Amino acid sequence: MDYQTAAQLRRHHPAWKLLQANHAPLTISFLDEVFIQPNERSLSESHLQARLEDRLFNLRETEGEDAFPQTAAHYLNDWADNDKGWLRKFYPANSDEAHFDLTPAAEKAIQWLNSLTERQFVGTESRLKTVFDLLQQMLEGVETDKQTRLNDLQRRKAEIEDEIARVKSGDIEIMEETAVRERFQQLSTTARELLSDFREVEQNFRQLDRQAREQITTWEGRKGELLDEIFGERDAIADSDQGRTFRAFWDFLMSPTRQQQLTEGLEQVLSLEAVQQMAPDPRIKRVHYDWLEAGEQTQRTVARLSAQLRRFLDDQAFLENKRIMQLIQSAETHAIALRGERLDGTWMTLESPRADINLPMERPLFSPPLRPVLETSVATGDETDVDPQALFNQVVVDKARLQSAIARELRHSSQVTLADVIRNHPLQVGLAELVSYLSLAGDDPRASFDETQPQTIEWQDDEGTRRHARAPLVLFTRARS
């Protein structure tokens, strides 16, 4: 890194500004406590203000009243200011309360400070072994010679057979406690780094969303050219190394088999005496569920970008509101141009609120309703073509029974797919029951959909015909205890 780059980072990078801030200990300790340690992706403004007020009250008793003179709301808005960039303030859909989320820059600064604290020990053997394993995987992955690959497989086969023979003879090699603790330390560090990577990936997609909105606001050319450019940028991110890695990681994590392996493996490792002596963080036992929540947040960010593009493609709404769109685009264009400037004086005026007063004498008098006139004669029609049996052939789906079936499957596994539920509890009323399952999954906050992995659902109707339906992968997750 040269001098100019370092000077530029010192002046503009939010992480460097956080380390230089006057109240850096308060900011770093509070953000680490409320966001990083519990892996919270976003928190409401009222909740954060209450937590920060409690922290300020305790600090003022020990540090003095003048140590932190501002209110909690002032500090939160200051941390979310564009000049700071440690928090992101936004309004979620269908909510009128502001929410805050930690930025990747602030998380990097906090992680770097955590690395300065003294560790129990510095493990080197496991990381050296990881280097050799990664090197071997790369060499094997790019090898194109068939004979070389066969020789390598034969060598590994001989090593496995030799180890099997030693185990059968009773020669079992047990890992030392130091090696166990070293590998668990590396596992915990990697798991926390994955959560941080999710926040950075989400920030990249959110930046693409902002660029798309700015392009739509200021675009004056043809709509097809704009869409071609936007979709090109989105494909570039999806096809980049980071996008491909995230997609592969998400596909791997969405596998119920892998989820079960992670759950059982973590429970066994945390029960080891060598690991318990380290007093591990209990959240590491459910870290894969934290990965799922972070990944779903990233997926929702991408969904918002798609929704923005769909609204732009609505030609009919665009034509009907052409004049309104022009005015809004003009205001947004000026707002984007003034985004980096600090405005002085009064730049917006709002009418003062007033109460709507309804005087008693302004209310209308009661008017009795008109009595309807009923026809007493009823004309009879031809009923020869009417089948009264159709009135009794209505399909009623018992959603309580479907929820009970899902709950029974989740007793044996932390996660289960819709296909597994239907396989063990076949559909009784056909397609209507399948739609009810999908409706229950849409209302369940713990259920997730993956349209990239469609599944085929099979059932047999009343006439004995096999029916098939393709639906996205639906994953039901057990509630946390």
Side-chain angles (χ1 to χ4, degrees), residues 26-27 29-30 35 60 86-87 126 132 165 199 215 221 236 250 275 281 303 307 320 337 374 410 430 444 447:
L26 167 66
T27 308
S29 61
F30 180 74
F35 283 106
R60 285 164 183 161
W86 308 328
L87 288 176
S126 63
F132 276 97
R199 185 171 272 115
Q215 284 180 309
W250 183 250
V275 175
D281 189 346
E320 293 176 354
L374 301 179
L410 290 177
D444 189 355

Side-chain angles (χ1 to χ4, degrees), residues 67-240:
F68 304 100
Q70 303 295 339
T71 63
H74 174 85
Y75 285 119
L76 290 177
N77 290 322
D78 182 61
W79 298 344
D81 189 79
N82 291 331
D83 294 336
K84 302 295 192 305
W86 308 328
L87 288 176
R88 182 177 70 95
K89 185 176 182 180
F90 64 101
Y91 287 86
N94 303 323
S95 175
D96 57 354
E97 183 181 9
H99 282 60
F100 289 89
D101 185 17
L102 188 67
T103 61
E107 186 172 8
K108 287 182 179 179
I110 297 173
Q111 287 181 344
W112 181 76
L113 287 176
N114 285 328
S115 67
L116 299 181
T117 58
E118 183 177 356
R119 290 179 286 179
Q120 296 178 353
F121 65 93
V122 179
T124 55
E125 186 263 341
S126 63
R127 286 185 290 175
L128 179 61
K129 190 176 186 310
T130 302
V131 171
F132 276 97
D133 290 342
L134 293 175
L135 180 63
Q136 189 66 25
Q137 291 176 16
M138 288 186 291
L139 293 177
E140 293 175 357
V142 300
E143 181 60 58
T144 58
D145 184 67
K146 180 175 66 175
Q147 188 60 41
T148 303
R149 286 211 169 190
L150 288 175
N151 293 338
D152 183 69
L153 291 174
Q154 292 292 340
R155 176 184 57 80
R156 284 189 288 174
K157 178 182 177 182
E159 293 176 353
I160 294 175
E161 291 177 347
D162 183 61
E163 184 176 358
I164 292 174
R166 290 199 308 270
V167 172
K168 287 183 177 180
S169 64
D171 183 12
I172 301 177
E173 184 179 357
I174 304 299
M175 183 178 295
E176 297 180 355
E177 292 187 355
T178 302
V180 172
R181 288 193 292 267
E182 180 181 350
R183 282 159 176 78
F184 181 77
Q185 185 184 67
Q186 186 177 3
L187 182 148
S188 302
T189 303
T190 305
R192 288 192 297 267
E193 289 176 351
L194 277 174
L195 291 175
S196 176
D197 292 342
F198 270 116
R199 185 171 272 115
E200 190 168 356
V201 170
E202 181 186 352
Q203 175 68 21
N204 290 343
F205 281 112
R206 193 161 47 241
Q207 183 66 25
L208 174 63
D209 182 38
R210 172 181 290 183
Q211 293 175 359
R213 293 172 186 267
E214 292 182 359
Q215 284 180 309
I216 291 174
T217 301
T218 58
W219 189 262
E220 297 180 356
R222 300 177 58 185
K223 183 181 298 185
E225 298 174 354
L226 172 61
L227 291 177
D228 183 52
E229 184 174 352
I230 291 177
F231 282 119
E233 292 179 359
R234 183 177 180 182
D235 293 340
I237 287 185
D239 295 336
S240 64

Side-chain angles (χ1 to χ4, degrees), residues 269-280:
V269 167
L270 290 173
S271 64
L272 298 177
E273 182 179 355
V275 175
Q276 293 179 355
Q277 293 175 358
M278 301 176 64

